[in-house]
Amino acid sequence: MTSEERQLREAIIAKCRWMNASGLNQGTSGNISARYKEVMLITPSATPYDALEPEMIAAMPIDGEGGEWSGPLKPSTEWRFHLDILKARADVGAVVHTHSTFATVLAIARKSIPACHYMIAAFGGTDIRCAEYATFGTAALSRNALQALEGRSGCLLANHGAIAAGVTLDKAMWLAVELETLARQYYHSLLIGGPLVLSDEAIAETSKGFATYGM
């Protein structure tokens, strides 16, 4: 293991611990992956984050057929959509999956998030879609997630949770936080009559500004 790979594994563990400590995720329900050369590094299945060591992060070949892995522990049960996203999206370097509360509430209601706030533009369009339901860990869920992520860097998973995909691990986690923030804002706006949705033109103007927007 190179020092660069070890640092990435350590960063994955640090992000896992932070997202639980911050309340963004609970228990071992979420998972994180990151691209390292031709390999996907991903959190192992059903392992408490506080117990993780760099060597325990599973590695899977990105160009493989799926299911092949190395490491002492099995990869997350959600490895399939992580792998398929990295395969399909050269612009994605990391994927964060959470069961964050408000995003999951909307996913349970199968509500996409409209352009209720200009920060929706950070996700590449005028909404954050909710993918159709499929059982966790299945190829069907992966297909549904990829469809919902078309042209986007985040989506909801019906009756499940949320996905954020970023160029880097830091950006993916930043987007995961932004997605939960938007979900919380949208949920509360629905309680007072619903949002006034921004126009496509307003979001397009915001997107131009994001071209030079720092994290």
Side-chain angles (χ1 to χ4, degrees):
M1 185 189 309
T2 66
S3 59
E4 182 183 10
E5 182 180 349
R6 174 172 285 275
Q7 287 175 0
L8 183 54
R9 287 168 177 258
E10 290 173 345
I12 290 171
I13 294 170
K15 294 295 184 189
C16 286
R17 292 173 179 170
W18 179 86
M19 72 177 181
N20 274 25
S22 69
L24 188 66
N25 192 66
Q26 310 81 37
T28 59
S29 59
N31 28 76
I32 295 178
S33 67
R35 187 191 301 270
Y36 178 71
K37 298 182 179 180
E38 287 78 39
V39 169
M40 176 179 76
L41 302 176
I42 186 167
T43 48
S45 178
T47 305
Y49 297 141
D50 286 343
L52 285 179
E53 297 293 340
E55 293 77 13
M56 298 162 73
I57 298 296
M60 305 183 76
I62 293 174
D63 62 354
E65 293 302 313
E68 309 105 7
W69 55 275
S70 60
L73 300 173
K74 292 181 179 180
S76 165
T77 55
E78 301 289 15
W79 63 263
R80 191 180 300 274
F81 70 65
H82 284 267
L83 188 64
D84 287 349
I85 291 168
L86 292 183
K87 278 185 177 183
R89 297 279 296 270
D91 60 311
V92 171
V95 176
V96 174
H97 169 52
T98 73
H99 291 185
S100 56
T101 301
F102 286 93
T104 303
V105 166
L106 296 180
I108 288 169
R110 303 199 183 183
K111 288 183 178 292
S112 296
I113 305 175
C116 56
H117 190 286
Y118 73 82
M119 283 302 292
I120 207 89
F123 291 86
T126 58
D127 64 354
I128 294 172
R129 306 183 187 106
C130 183
E132 292 293 323
Y133 181 77
T135 304
F136 76 94
T138 61
L141 178 61
S142 185
R143 288 193 299 270
N144 294 347
L146 283 174
Q147 185 175 8
L149 284 168
E150 187 174 348
R152 300 288 190 273
S153 54
C155 74
L156 304 179
L157 301 174
N159 303 85
H160 187 154
I163 295 174
V167 176
T168 63
L169 182 56
D170 283 343
K171 186 63 178 290
M173 185 58 76
W174 180 80
L175 286 166
V177 172
E178 288 299 325
L179 198 160
E180 174 64 2
T181 301
L182 285 166
R184 184 169 66 249
Q185 292 165 343
Y186 179 47
Y187 171 86
H188 282 101
S189 75
L190 292 173
L191 303 180
I192 56 172
L196 292 176
V197 176
L198 293 168
S199 68
D200 291 356
E201 292 75 17
I203 297 302
E205 190 65 26
T206 301
S207 295
K208 292 178 184 177
F210 279 149
T212 56
Y213 183 74
M215 234 179 10

